[in-house]
Every structure is written in C-alpha cells, then in structure tokens.
C-alpha cells in the first residue's frame, strides 16, 4: 500500500523559478490537502480540495496555485518561488465521509529557494 | 481565528517516568487529532478523538478530550526511548472537513 506519494522529495530552486509538486493517493479518498511545515511550527494549510473538481484556500495560500487533476492527484504549483517559500511541504488525503477517520500524510517535499 | 497551543514545547525526561502534554484550543470543536513525527519523516496518526470525554489508549500513550475546557491531553506512562519524537495535536477548522489547525508541536526526548 503506497498511501500518499509525493514527488519530488527534495528540490532546490532559484528565486523566481517555478515548479509543481505532485501528490497522488491510492486510498480512494475524496479530500486532499497541501500543508507547509516551517521550523518550530506546526503544519499550516495552504489549499485543500474537498472533492474532485473543487479547490479552496487555506490559511496561507499566497504564492501558490493548485490543481485537482482527478480523484487521485492534487498538485501544488509555485509560479515564482521566493525564499519565504523554503519549507517542507506535505500532501494529505482523507475520507471525510467516514466519521471516525483521520488525514493520512505523504513523506514530504523539502524545498529550498535560494 | 482558531488557535491551537501546546505545552510544553520541549520536554526531556527519563525512561520510566510519567508525563503529560497539553493541547488547548480557542474555539468550539469536538474533533481533535494527535500525530507523531520522527525527525525528517512524515506524520503518523496516533489518536482520533471525536467527542467530549473521549479517551483512547495505545500502549504507553493515552489521549483524552474535554471539549468544554477546550483541552486535550496526551499522557505518557513509564516512558521508553522509542517514544522520543515530536507530537502534534490538531483541531478541525470546520468540523468533519479535516481542515486541520495544528499546534506548534512538543519535542519529546526520552533519555535512557
């Protein structure tokens, strides 16, 4: 069982470059999420997708865009990377229709913007 | 705005001792989650607490939820080195949507 798979695992970008972080889940979950984790802080929600075809902003959406490509895949795009976007990015998925459940997280993408 | 605060943020303890991590949150919610994170790794779900008075136990860890006090606790009994990790609590911003607001995390170090 792969669960939630993120690519790449590591990335270094120069300021102003663009890139897309990929996320795929094989648990048939409807909802998917992108979080960022900065040192000494908990995770903060960037964007989420409650179901295929819908996306919405989270707590820190500025500088990011997302695409829910299909039920399995949810990508995060940085159009013009800035040093403040240096962080570890986690994708998660969840079956919100099930009452007693939690979000499952990918392994993370460590992004450095220089 | 929902705020989630954990304390302590750092905890160093001896094997065999007991301790409690506290998680306070600022608005009404009856869904709270505890996660564990090892250095450089992803988050692993520990507990899902879905109602006032919920108590769950797994091995040496026990979590509880008091929605009236807006407080959850994670109690560690007779700590062992393998429990060294960072522990996060998280609360649903919109109940059931899994839009989670995380605490800052508690970095737990257990010394032999």
């Amino acid at each position: 069982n792969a669960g939630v798979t993120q690519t790449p695992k590591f990335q270094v970008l120069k300021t102003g470059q663009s890139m897309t972080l990929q996320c795929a889940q094989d648990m048939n979950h409807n909802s998917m999420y992108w979080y960022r984790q900065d040192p000494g802080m908990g995770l903060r929600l960037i964007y989420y997708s409650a179901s295929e075809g819908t996306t919405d902003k989270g707590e820190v959406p500025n500088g990011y865009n997302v695409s829910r490509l299909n039920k399995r895949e949810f990508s995060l795009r940085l159009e013009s990377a800035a040093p403040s976007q240096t962080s570890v990015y986690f994708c998660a998925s969840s079956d919100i229709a099930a009452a007693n459940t939690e979000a499952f997280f990918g392994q993370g993408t460590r992004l450095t913007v220089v | 705005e929902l705020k989630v605060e954990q304390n302590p943020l750092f905890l160093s303890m001896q094997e065999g001792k007991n301790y409690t991590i506290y998680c306070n949150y600022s608005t009404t919610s009856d869904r709270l989650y505890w996660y564990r994170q090892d250095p450089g790794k992803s988050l692993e779900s520990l507990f899902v607490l879905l109602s006032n008075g919920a108590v769950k136990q797994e091995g040496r860890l026990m979590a509880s939820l008091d929605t009236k006090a807006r407080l959850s606790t994670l109690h560690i009994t007779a700590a062992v080195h393998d429990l060294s990790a960072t522990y996060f609590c998280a609360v649903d911003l919109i109940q059931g949507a899994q839009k989670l607001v995380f605490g800052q995390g508690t970095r737990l170090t257990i010394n032999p």
Side-chain angles (χ1 to χ4, degrees):
Chain A
N1 255 352
V4 180
T5 303
Q6 292 182 232
T7 55
K9 289 187 170 48
F10 301 93
Q11 183 72 47
V12 178
L13 288 179
K14 293 182 179 178
T15 297
Q17 286 186 317
S18 63
M19 79 162 293
T20 300
L21 281 63
Q22 307 286 353
C23 175
Q25 52 93 7
D26 62 2
M27 295 175 282
N28 202 35
H29 287 166
N30 284 317
S31 300
M32 298 184 73
Y33 312 82
W34 277 104
Y35 290 88
R36 62 177 286 174
Q37 183 178 29
D38 299 303
M41 300 179 69
L43 280 69
R44 291 182 293 168
L45 183 64
I46 305 171
Y47 270 93
Y48 73 102
S49 172
S51 61
E52 186 178 353
T54 69
T55 62
D56 208 346
K57 295 178 181 178
E59 182 184 357
V60 288
N62 291 344
Y64 305 96
N65 285 301
V66 290
S67 295
R68 184 73 183 266
L69 304 169
N70 48 56
K71 190 173 185 178
R72 291 187 63 247
E73 297 173 289
F74 188 38
S75 62
L76 178 71
R77 182 160 178 84
L78 286 71
E79 291 290 352
S80 179
S84 61
Q85 294 178 305
T86 293
S87 189
V88 180
Y89 292 84
F90 287 98
C91 177
S93 72
S94 177
D95 179 8
I96 62 173
N100 186 22
T101 189
E102 66 269 49
F104 295 86
F105 287 81
Q107 291 299 308
T109 296
R110 189 173 296 271
L111 175 67
T112 303
V113 183
V114 297
Chain B
E1 180 188 350
L2 173 59
K3 291 186 190 265
V4 181
E5 294 186 346
Q6 290 180 233
N7 74 85
L9 299 183
F10 299 93
L11 178 56
S12 181
M13 54 194 291
Q14 297 288 326
E15 278 192 330
K17 300 291 188 183
N18 304 332
Y19 211 82
T20 301
I21 299 170
Y22 297 89
C23 175
N24 291 273
Y25 53 98
S26 61
T27 63
T28 302
S29 177
D30 61 1
R31 288 171 180 254
L32 190 136
Y33 307 84
W34 283 96
Y35 285 89
R36 168 183 172 146
Q37 186 179 39
D38 293 303
K41 302 293 186 182
S42 184
L43 281 78
E44 173 191 355
S45 176
L46 294 174
F47 299 108
V48 180
L49 302 171
L50 296 178
S51 61
N52 185 41
V55 177
K56 290 197 174 178
Q57 183 163 5
E58 180 74 33
R60 301 175 188 274
L61 300 178
M62 183 173 71
S64 65
L65 178 61
D66 181 344
T67 58
K68 292 179 180 159
R70 299 177 186 170
L71 171 68
S72 180
T73 61
L74 180 66
H75 186 73
I76 302 147
T77 301
V80 294
H81 179 68
D82 286 352
L83 292 178
S84 296
T86 299
Y87 293 85
F88 291 95
C89 63
V91 178
D92 250 334
L93 186 62
I94 298 175
Q95 293 192 28
Q98 295 274 344
K99 290 176 62 179
L100 302 177
V101 178
F102 281 80
Q104 312 97 306
T106 297
R107 184 176 294 180
L108 174 63
T109 303
I110 298 169
N111 304 303

